[in-house]
Amino acid sequence: GAVVSQHPSRVICKSGTSVKIECRSLDFQATTMFWYRQFPKQSLMLMATSNEGSKATYEQGVEKDKFLINHASLTLSTLTVTSAHPEDSSFYICSAPRGRPNYGYTFGSGTRLTVV
Amino acid sequence: AQSVTQPDIHITVSEGASLELRCNYSYGATPYLFWYVQSPGQGLQLLLKYFSGDTLVQGIKGFEAEFKRSQSSFNLRKPSVHWSDAAEYFCAVGPYNTDKLIFGTGTRLQVFP
């Protein structure tokens, strides 16, 4: 149980285009979704926190207009990288907290974005 | 400030040898502690977690970790490493209310035959 399905796993896009990444909680309701970015051989950097039905909370230094987050339902959160540039190339991972009584966090399998 | 430190960026061990990956944290309240493993190009898999109770926690794949409050540490151990254990390991700390996790910088484990 507690699966977060993340798609696509890999995407290559041209500079200037937009890319949408989806994270779905398959067997539980994810009222919150954390979005992370990971550069090669580095740790995970929290970009933003999305909450179902409300605006996302972005971490300092993350451009809200570039990384659009939507959490329209209890099972789906999306991250759209708008007007992508090569420097946006990275590994993006979503994570949903489980809450009581199990606690813990379930991670998606990640999306490798390459902007050419 | 809340933080997690993994002092070892890269560790190399021989297959069959014992392993200890270090993790120190700085947290103002009672922490929830986690160890995750990440294979290249993959998401994170939970190895084990500590919330309360017995300070020695058993996880999957033969891993265990010990919470030492006096040392603010949560080191990961395995008695005998397998080649398939080669991966990136992340220690993380979180509050009781499942707010965002704080990750360490990771330790890359390399296993030689």
Side-chain angles (χ1 to χ4, degrees):
Chain A
V3 175
V4 171
S5 176
Q6 183 171 349
H7 293 281
S9 57
R10 288 179 177 271
V11 58
I12 300 174
C13 71
K14 291 184 177 181
S15 208
T17 62
S18 295
V19 173
K20 179 184 284 188
I21 301 170
E22 293 188 349
C23 279
R24 294 181 183 273
S25 56
L26 298 185
D27 51 0
F28 68 101
Q29 293 182 332
T31 55
T32 299
M33 191 74 74
F34 300 111
W35 286 94
Y36 294 88
R37 182 175 182 175
Q38 185 181 30
F39 291 103
K41 299 183 179 181
Q42 294 189 27
S43 188
L44 283 75
M45 181 192 78
L46 181 66
M47 299 174 63
T49 303
S50 72
N51 292 290
E52 187 268 336
S54 63
K55 289 184 177 181
T57 302
Y58 290 81
E59 297 299 302
Q60 191 173 7
V62 177
E63 298 177 62
K64 301 179 183 181
D65 295 333
K66 166 165 279 296
F67 300 101
L68 299 180
I69 290 176
N70 184 278
H71 197 145
S73 76
L74 289 172
T75 59
L76 175 64
S77 177
T78 61
L79 166 67
T80 302
V81 183
T82 63
S83 187
H85 290 280
E87 56 265 31
D88 298 325
S89 298
S90 191
F91 193 62
Y92 295 87
I93 307 177
C94 60
S95 172
R98 293 306 313 282
R100 296 175 184 270
N102 297 313
Y103 296 105
Y105 303 75
T106 301
F107 285 82
S109 55
T111 297
R112 170 72 60 194
L113 170 62
T114 303
V115 185
V116 298
Chain B
Q2 302 165 1
S3 65
V4 177
T5 302
Q6 292 180 249
D8 305 304
I9 297 173
H10 186 198
I11 285 183
T12 301
V13 299
S14 298
E15 191 170 19
S18 63
L19 172 70
E20 181 170 33
L21 302 183
R22 295 183 291 167
C23 173
N24 293 94
Y25 66 90
S26 173
Y27 200 76
T30 301
Y32 286 175
L33 295 157
F34 306 82
W35 273 100
Y36 288 91
V37 60
Q38 183 183 34
S39 297
Q42 300 295 314
L44 275 68
Q45 181 183 23
L46 179 66
L47 287 176
L48 47 78
K49 60 188 178 186
Y50 171 78
F51 291 149
S52 64
D54 193 347
T55 55
L56 184 61
V57 181
Q58 301 298 320
I60 63 172
K61 303 184 179 185
F63 285 94
E64 66 177 27
E66 186 171 11
F67 171 57
K68 293 185 177 179
R69 185 186 298 275
S70 61
Q71 299 178 19
S72 296
S73 69
F74 188 57
N75 294 346
L76 182 71
R77 301 193 293 249
K78 186 169 185 178
S80 178
V81 171
H82 189 262
W83 65 266
S84 60
D85 293 324
E88 188 86 18
Y89 291 81
F90 292 98
C91 181
V93 63
Y96 76 96
N97 60 349
T98 65
D99 202 347
K100 57 189 179 184
L101 281 176
I102 300 168
F103 283 90
T105 50
T107 297
R108 180 168 296 276
L109 174 65
Q110 195 170 7
V111 181
F112 282 115

